[in-house]
Amino acid sequence: MGRHSLPDQYGAGRSDPRPRARRRTVAIATVLVLTVAGGTAAAARSGLLSFGSSCQDNPVRLKLDAAPDITPALTAAAQRAHDDKITSDGRCLAVTVTARDAYKVADGLAAGRKSDAQLWVPDSDLWIDRITANNSAVDVTPAGTIASTPIGVAMVPTAAKSLGWPQKTYDWLELVGAAMQSDSVKLGAADPARSATGLLALTQLSTAATRIKGGDTQAVAMMKTLAQRTSDSDGQVVDTLPRDSSGTELGNPKRNQALILSEQAAYTYNSSADSAGGLDMFYPKDGSPRLDYPYAMVGELSTDQSRAALRFMNYLRQPEQLRLLQKYGFRTSDDETPQTVVSAAGGSSPQPYEEPALKPAAAAALQEALGTWTITVQSARITTVVDASSSMSETVPGTGQSRMDVTKGALLQALATFTPEDEIGLWKFSTKLDGDKDYRILVPTERLGDQKGGGTQRDRLSAAFGALKPVPNGATGLYDTTLAAYKAAASSYAKGKFNALVILTDGVNQDPGSISRDALITQLQKLTDPERPVPLIMIAVGPDADREEADEIARATGGSGQSVSNPAQIQSVILKAIVAAGSQGDD
């Protein structure tokens, strides 16, 4: 990563407060560009790319994929660059902008599929983070941000008035809770799995919920309710607003009177000729997360393309182009709040829209919120298989606890994120635990809310997790256990649920009489049915486990292999793997 990186002064809009290892090569990239440029002080001050007054016959052609909301602004800027005959090394810039949903671009690049676009402007840095976390992904190098817009809750005037807008202010939990409790307000949002707006708001809600007693339960309840009025994209969710400001449309149960929306989307809606009376904007008083529109270079660019790409970004940072972005409802500085944009978006004092932008959510918080959403809105059927070999008694450095003890704690944490409708089961394995079998079923996979013998399935699982102990002198019977557990999971597939098999192991197969790895993979491939997907999520725990082998085995089923150095990371890794498996299922 980093071969196209730029010094921070080239980052438009605002600087990113998070340190990024992939930007460490900025100095090297700058030296290379200086060398190619043949360098003058004037060239350095202008971004190493000159403003030419004439063009060669053959322009430098660049394709730019952009989030749909910023595509009109970038298209207008690209046309201006053409009309103004902006050049890179004497060759005109010819930038073609195409609207593409960020999640679709991110899924393709993360899977290693090459793009025909050299530039990409998604609506949030979180999409780039998702790609760069994958070693097999296409090289994507961010160079800064070109605009931003805060996220809040927009409402039709009657709904906003019923909640006391603009005098009454709310934090995120209060606002979403008030909207959901109102009989006359239906709240919609874009799917957090496909929308940065939805995910950033969901993460803010989840984070806020952790600060209050019972907040986790409240957050899950909100997710369940919100999921019933979720649209695939930001554009589609706007289409769920009433089509007129009077009559039956406002009371239509299929229409939303409130939306989790960006300021720019509200601005665009209110500016359109056919908007039904406009929207009023609530800016939660505990802060608004922001879309930040990173400008990134994709794949292998030629020298001419790289220089032209930098030239176009530098052009976007010129005052005239910043005013153009504001004309389309974007903010171009964190230091200034454009009152005309806020007003047109439906904001009004004393809504706290002048509060400083929230720090970007941590990747772990985003992952946890998305994982919780995935298993909340779609009931899950998951069998968990835990290594009980003697090596699980080894101490985790710095904890004073064994691998098994830390694993049990992480599994109990993960269990708390599932609802009564989810089906969860537990196996353990070592060698010869049940006659010649290397595994034993401790709790069959059933609904957590099912009552049996005076307790629920959740109670039984909690007790079974707590009772897990390493088997003295027990080895790791990984291959036979994996095959048996996968056969059981595939044969008991539950339609309409997210089905998966989770296996945790801290070692490699140690049963000499078991099936071979190649034979295991062949069998798994035969058992896998795309119409009844059951991804295997194999988690390699500690230094003795083989992550590469885990990944190879799991991928035979459409799943993934993960690794953790500390079992305490298991919960977040399970959520990450669930999200990854879910996104593959959408392809």
Side-chain angles (χ1 to χ4, degrees), residues 421-500:
E421 296 301 316
D422 295 316
E423 301 176 34
I424 310 294
L426 176 65
W427 295 24
K428 73 174 182 179
F429 74 98
S430 179
T431 46
K432 299 187 183 303
L433 285 186
D434 186 4
D436 289 334
K437 295 178 181 178
D438 292 339
Y439 53 88
R440 179 176 296 154
I441 301 174
L442 301 180
V443 182
T445 305
E446 297 174 356
R447 283 180 67 255
L448 289 178
D450 284 353
Q451 293 276 348
K452 188 185 295 184
T456 64
Q457 173 78 350
R458 189 186 299 274
D459 296 331
R460 292 189 289 275
L461 273 172
S462 296
F465 283 146
L468 284 170
K469 293 181 180 179
V471 176
N473 301 315
T476 305
L478 180 61
Y479 294 165
D480 283 351
T481 299
T482 299
L483 182 57
Y486 195 81
K487 283 181 177 179
S491 64
S492 60
Y493 177 85
K495 187 176 181 180
K497 292 180 180 283
F498 173 81
N499 292 251

Side-chain angles (χ1 to χ4, degrees), residues 251-502:
N252 187 336
K254 295 182 179 180
R255 294 284 166 184
N256 292 312
Q257 293 77 38
L259 302 177
I260 293 176
L261 209 62
S262 74
E263 179 184 80
Q264 191 276 335
Y267 174 99
T268 299
Y269 180 85
N270 288 349
S271 302
S272 65
D274 57 351
S275 60
L279 297 170
D280 294 329
M281 191 81 174
F282 282 89
Y283 296 77
K285 59 188 178 184
D286 51 344
S288 296
R290 296 196 178 199
L291 302 177
D292 56 5
Y293 301 92
Y295 183 98
M297 286 168 272
V298 180
E300 298 284 348
L301 274 66
S302 68
T303 299
D304 287 346
Q305 288 174 328
S306 294
R307 290 163 61 80
L310 306 188
R311 178 68 185 91
F312 186 60
M313 180 172 177
N314 196 44
Y315 178 72
L316 293 174
R317 297 188 68 242
Q318 303 306 310
E320 186 176 356
Q321 311 322 316
L322 297 180
R323 287 192 292 272
L324 175 67
L325 286 164
Q326 286 193 16
K327 178 183 175 183
Y328 281 88
F330 294 96
R331 299 191 184 192
T332 55
S333 171
D334 274 351
D335 299 326
E336 298 179 8
T337 299
Q339 299 300 324
T340 55
V341 170
V342 172
S343 178
S348 182
S349 179
Q351 292 296 320
Y353 51 79
E354 293 184 354
E355 291 294 314
L358 290 173
K359 290 184 178 180
L366 290 165
Q367 195 66 56
E368 183 169 350
L370 185 53
T372 303
W373 169 267
T374 302
I375 61 178
T376 297
V377 302
Q378 181 183 19
S379 294
R381 178 180 172 84
I382 299 176
T383 301
T384 306
V385 184
V386 180
D387 191 342
S389 60
S390 60
S391 57
M392 289 291 283
S393 63
E394 294 184 12
T395 301
V396 177
T399 68
Q401 294 182 296
S402 69
R403 290 177 184 171
M404 181 62 85
D405 288 337
V406 178
T407 297
K408 290 191 293 187
L411 289 173
L412 285 168
Q413 275 188 310
L415 180 62
T417 65
F418 291 91
T419 72
E421 296 301 316
D422 295 316
E423 301 176 34
I424 310 294
L426 176 65
W427 295 24
K428 73 174 182 179
F429 74 98
S430 179
T431 46
K432 299 187 183 303
L433 285 186
D434 186 4
D436 289 334
K437 295 178 181 178
D438 292 339
Y439 53 88
R440 179 176 296 154
I441 301 174
L442 301 180
V443 182
T445 305
E446 297 174 356
R447 283 180 67 255
L448 289 178
D450 284 353
Q451 293 276 348
K452 188 185 295 184
T456 64
Q457 173 78 350
R458 189 186 299 274
D459 296 331
R460 292 189 289 275
L461 273 172
S462 296
F465 283 146
L468 284 170
K469 293 181 180 179
V471 176
N473 301 315
T476 305
L478 180 61
Y479 294 165
D480 283 351
T481 299
T482 299
L483 182 57
Y486 195 81
K487 283 181 177 179
S491 64
S492 60
Y493 177 85
K495 187 176 181 180
K497 292 180 180 283
F498 173 81
N499 292 251
L501 173 65
V502 177

